[in-house]
Amino acid sequence: MIKNKIAHLITLLAVLIFCFGYSSADAATMQINSNAATLSPGSIMTLSVVINSEGVAINNAEAKIIFPKDLLEVVSVSKGSSVFSLWVEEPSYSNLTGVITFNGGVPTPGFTGSNGTALSIVVKAKAPGKADLIFSDAAIRANDGLGTDVLTSKRGKTIAIDKKEEPAVPVIPTPTPAPTPAPSSALSTASLQITSPTHPSQELWYKDNNPLFRWKVPTGVDAVQTGIDNNTSGSPRVAYSPAINQKSVQDLKDGTWYFKVRARKDGVWGPTSTYIARIDSIVPQKNDVTFSYDEQKRVLNIDSDIVDETSGLDHYEIFVNDVLMKQVPSSEFVNGKYSIEVNTVGDNTVKLLAFDRAGNSVDALGTFNVSPMVNRLPEPVQPTTSSEQPLLITVGSFSIPAIYFAIITVCGLIILILGAFKLGRHYTKLRNKFITRNALVKGDTTKVLISLKKRLEKHLEILQRTRHTRTLSKEEKEIKEAIESDLDEVDKAIEKQKAE
């Protein structure tokens, strides 16, 4: 009986924990916001991916956003005003496939709020139509140590892209009695056109954190309101009367800022105009940079760990001995690695400059040595097993198996030794023949001696040529000395015969 009661109690507790715990955690939403619902071809708009945690602490969110690539073009994505500080996957986009992705996180205790910006996206309208941005594979995870997905709702955005209206051809009406105009105390005001001499492009990043904004005040406007924040949906709140036509903002933090202004005419506030200022005043963060020279490939290898969290890296400049060797886009530093050919012999200095998109830079210095080019012997070939290729011996551009090379070498040595012995026997036979002939010949001895001398000189010449190609053996040296001695004897005999 007691065991049954305990079992029922445990079951009841599990059901309560499941029901109440699940319902309290599964509550977060994700949506795309914008400051307008319509665009015209060629104009831009800033969108924000906003998270509402519904009171639940979260530590991660990710999503894939699909957009019509024939109607919209993504100009940039920014994490400068994001609630996330850690990125499992950096925000990225592709105008070829029409996809935007991100995967960000935040340390414990996580994020809790109803209006947390995860990502800012600037899009440009390409053609008229209805552009739907929809979420795919989205998730929001609770800071519960389990990574519980608490996303309950995700809402994309539909943008209407209208054709630009052509200016109407003025028509001169037939003069008619004009009716008495009604009082117009509530005329709407056209949106103000904002420019910035310090930050002239809304798509580029600048290191100046003191932007200046200007606009023209239409006739009849008696006041304006301004405001600046990191949120696209904010409203201007500071009023100026009489109306001002410019506003300078000082010491802004790094990130994407939205300056807003609207005008009042006849007591009616007009629409809000927005201007984007992107600020990155901090140099890239240099973690570690190493330089190493590869003597075999004659290249300088660079391993760079430099990051820029705000605007991102733009390009690198490589200097060798204070001379600019190459400017390299950041995309060509694959995993921070790059190689460049250098042949300047001796000690060299190298400087790597890394630039972010706002023009801030950080440098790294190093040294390396380049040895003179030499004719290197072929690298020793490792022994092979029965399953590998046979060992090869390379001489110049010709390669043969090592076993054949050994056989040829041994055969060559045997031929040289036999040749030396044969030459020795031939010379001994020739010398004996000369002695016998010298003793028997009583006729034209001088002619015989001259003929013998030529033969001896021919054999001596053979030995001389051999000495230039290799070292003579001991026997060959003795034969050479004997021939030289016999030549002296022949010369003496010839001189004696001539004297008689």
Side-chain angles (χ1 to χ4, degrees):
M1 181 68 73
I2 296 176
K3 290 183 179 179
N4 291 336
K5 290 182 178 180
I6 293 174
H8 286 305
L9 180 60
I10 292 174
T11 302
L12 178 60
L13 288 174
V15 171
L16 291 173
I17 290 173
F18 177 80
C19 293
F20 291 100
Y22 183 83
S23 62
S24 63
D26 193 6
T29 64
M30 184 185 298
Q31 66 183 47
I32 301 175
N33 291 341
S34 68
N35 55 357
T38 60
L39 276 176
S40 58
S43 58
I44 64 173
M45 172 187 291
T46 299
L47 308 172
S48 296
V49 180
V50 179
I51 292 174
N52 184 353
S53 71
E54 298 287 351
V56 177
I58 65 170
N59 64 5
N60 173 262
E62 65 173 311
K64 179 188 291 185
I65 303 171
I66 310 300
F67 65 91
K69 58 186 179 181
D70 56 332
L71 301 179
L72 289 178
E73 173 186 351
V74 176
V75 176
S76 66
V77 294
S78 172
K79 57 184 180 180
S81 57
S82 176
V83 298
F84 297 124
S85 57
L86 306 174
W87 293 93
V88 179
E89 178 185 350
E90 290 287 331
S92 63
Y93 64 89
S94 171
N95 286 315
L96 294 177
T97 59
V99 176
I100 304 168
T101 59
F102 72 90
N103 190 341
V106 63
T108 300
F111 167 77
T112 304
S114 61
N115 195 25
T117 298
L119 189 68
S120 295
I121 308 166
V122 178
V123 297
K124 182 179 181 180
K126 297 172 65 175
K130 181 181 177 182
D132 293 320
L133 290 91
I134 60 175
F135 283 103
S136 173
D137 300 330
I140 299 177
R141 297 180 177 86
N143 188 44
D144 57 0
L146 302 174
T148 305
D149 187 358
V150 296
L151 178 64
T152 58
S153 170
K154 53 183 183 290
R155 187 166 73 248
K157 186 71 178 179
T158 299
I159 302 172
I161 305 175
D162 300 329
K163 292 182 178 180
K164 291 184 178 179
E165 295 184 359
E166 298 295 334
V169 178
V171 178
I172 302 175
T174 303
T176 57
T180 303
S184 57
S185 58
L187 296 177
S188 61
T189 306
S191 60
L192 304 178
Q193 299 297 317
I194 308 172
T195 60
S196 174
T198 56
H199 297 65
S201 173
Q202 298 186 69
E203 300 176 7
L204 300 180
W205 289 85
Y206 298 89
K207 64 177 67 175
D208 184 1
N209 62 349
N210 304 310
L212 174 63
F213 305 98
R214 290 176 178 167
W215 57 92
K216 290 183 179 181
V217 179
T219 304
V221 170
D222 62 352
V224 296
Q225 278 184 330
T226 67
I228 187 168
D229 52 39
N230 299 117
N231 195 334
T232 59
S233 59
S235 300
R237 293 184 176 86
V238 182
Y240 297 89
S241 182
I244 61 175
N245 62 0
Q246 67 176 28
K247 178 66 176 177
S248 177
V249 186
Q250 303 294 313
D251 299 326
L252 289 178
K253 294 181 179 179
D254 286 2
T256 302
W257 293 88
Y258 301 88
F259 177 78
K260 306 174 184 68
V261 63
R262 64 179 179 174
R264 184 179 67 187
K265 181 179 180 181
D266 298 330
V268 177
W269 288 104
T272 299
S273 298
T274 302
Y275 193 92
I276 304 173
R278 305 178 189 277
I279 297 174
D280 182 1
S281 60
I282 301 176
V283 302
Q285 179 181 341
K286 179 178 66 175
N287 297 320
D288 186 35
V289 178
T290 59
F291 305 96
S292 60
Y293 190 75
D294 189 327
E295 290 284 357
Q296 290 284 30
K297 298 181 179 179
R298 311 295 284 183
V299 296
L300 174 65
N301 296 318
I302 303 174
D303 192 346
S304 169
D305 183 6
I306 300 177
V307 295
D308 189 273
E309 294 293 340
T310 305
S311 64
L313 293 177
D314 183 72
H315 71 276
Y316 297 83
E317 291 182 358
I318 304 172
F319 292 80
V320 175
N321 300 325
D322 297 324
V323 176
L324 177 61
M325 300 292 290
K326 194 172 184 181
Q327 181 172 302
V328 185
S330 59
S331 59
E332 294 186 15
F333 265 68
V334 182
N335 296 325
K337 301 181 185 298
Y338 190 79
S339 297
I340 182 172
E341 183 178 353
V342 180
N343 290 307
T344 308
V345 176
D347 293 328
N348 296 274
T349 61
V350 57
K351 178 172 69 174
L352 178 69
L353 279 175
F355 291 83
D356 62 21
R357 291 187 173 90
N360 304 298
S361 66
V362 65
D363 65 4
L365 306 177
T367 60
F368 64 97
N369 181 270
V370 179
S371 302
M373 290 288 290
V374 296
N375 293 327
R376 294 180 174 83
L377 294 175
E379 294 184 0
V381 181
Q382 299 296 328
T384 61
T385 62
S386 58
S387 61
E388 298 177 343
Q389 295 294 328
L391 180 64
L392 299 178
I393 299 297
T394 301
V395 180
S397 60
F398 181 71
S399 298
I400 60 173
I403 185 64
Y404 295 160
F405 182 81
I407 294 172
I408 293 172
T409 303
V410 171
C411 292
L413 291 174
I414 294 173
I415 292 172
L416 288 175
I417 293 172
L418 293 176
F421 281 114
K422 183 177 179 181
L423 181 61
R425 289 196 300 271
H426 178 72
Y427 172 71
T428 302
K429 181 178 179 181
L430 180 64
R431 189 168 184 270
N432 292 335
K433 183 177 180 180
F434 165 71
I435 294 171
T436 303
R437 181 178 293 181
N438 189 46
L440 297 174
V441 175
K442 299 298 183 179
D444 192 355
T445 307
T446 301
K447 184 181 293 186
V448 174
L449 289 172
I450 292 174
S451 176
L452 181 59
K453 178 180 178 181
K454 289 181 179 179
R455 292 183 182 180
L456 290 173
E457 288 176 342
K458 183 175 181 181
H459 288 293
L460 182 61
E461 183 181 354
I462 293 173
L463 289 173
Q464 293 286 10
R465 286 200 303 266
T466 303
R467 188 180 63 176
H468 290 301
T469 58
R470 62 176 177 80
T471 303
L472 298 177
S473 65
K474 181 179 178 182
E475 293 80 2
E476 290 171 330
K477 289 180 180 180
E478 291 177 352
I479 294 171
K480 176 176 173 293
E481 293 173 357
I483 293 174
E484 290 173 344
S485 176
D486 288 341
L487 279 172
D488 291 339
E489 293 295 330
V490 171
D491 286 337
K492 292 178 181 179
I494 292 173
E495 292 297 327
K496 184 177 179 181
Q497 289 293 327
K498 289 180 178 180
E500 293 177 352

